[in-house]
Amino acid sequence: MKCNFKRRLVNPAAKQIEQTQSTVKRIWEIATLIALRREFGFGKERLTRFVDSLNEVYSEFMINAADTDKYDRKKRELSDIDTAIIRLIRELRSAGIDHRELLGDSEKLVIIDESGKVTDLDEVYDRIEEHERRRNGT
């Protein structure tokens, strides 16, 4: 009988992590609904519209993040999650909103590459904005 015990041990851990992430996401969503209800008086209909819109944003993000880039000659591909995150940052900033001002900057949006190099995506977008300002002469 063949048995890959290492894989068997990893699967429950991965499922537990996935379940925990789903629970944390749901708690955040519920807290958001409560805040919208308390602060702005959102009723069921408006909360439903909000949830539909939020799900649309999630879906767009997942589609953008699922795009892959060719990484090297070994034909490895990496997700384009960094670009998907930068698109979220760009959309808010185009409306004059920096999420760090609203949510604080204790949590960073970072990507860690295979070598362990950490890249802060807000800093990347800050440089993009600065480059665009210089290019446009503003």
Side-chain angles (χ1 to χ4, degrees):
M1 179 171 112
K2 293 183 179 180
C3 179
N4 186 341
F5 73 93
K6 288 183 181 178
R7 184 173 182 191
R8 179 75 178 127
L9 292 174
V10 169
N11 284 343
K15 286 181 183 178
Q16 205 170 28
I17 290 169
E18 184 179 336
Q19 181 64 46
T20 300
Q21 289 174 332
S22 293
T23 300
V24 169
K25 178 180 175 270
R26 179 52 51 104
I27 290 168
W28 178 254
E29 291 169 338
I30 290 170
T32 301
L33 295 177
I34 290 170
L36 289 170
R37 173 83 181 134
R38 287 180 183 173
E39 187 64 25
F40 303 107
F42 279 26
K44 184 176 180 179
E45 184 179 324
R46 189 173 282 172
L47 287 173
T48 299
R49 287 186 7 233
F50 171 79
V51 168
D52 290 344
S53 180
L54 184 61
N55 286 333
E56 184 179 317
V57 172
Y58 282 154
S59 179
E60 288 172 11
F61 175 79
M62 295 306 290
I63 288 167
N64 291 333
D67 290 343
T68 56
D69 293 330
K70 298 290 183 207
Y71 185 64
D72 60 20
R73 292 182 184 160
K74 295 178 185 175
K75 298 185 179 175
R76 291 185 296 172
E77 293 182 346
L78 296 178
S79 98
D80 217 5
I81 194 165
D82 53 343
T83 302
I85 294 168
I86 287 171
R87 286 179 179 170
L88 293 175
I89 294 168
R90 173 180 282 153
E91 184 169 337
L92 275 180
R93 292 215 195 157
S94 70
I97 302 166
D98 187 331
H99 72 92
R100 297 170 293 185
E101 293 172 3
L102 297 174
L103 303 173
D105 61 359
S106 60
E107 287 89 19
K108 304 282 184 194
L109 294 171
V110 300
I111 296 294
I112 303 171
D113 69 14
E114 289 178 330
S115 68
K117 179 183 174 211
V118 177
T119 303
D120 183 321
L121 295 177
D122 277 299
E123 289 177 4
V124 169
Y125 195 72
D126 289 341
R127 289 192 301 270
I128 291 170
E129 281 185 322
E130 180 60 31
H131 175 75
E132 289 174 351
R133 273 193 291 274
R134 275 190 254 133
R135 187 181 71 211
N136 295 329
T138 56

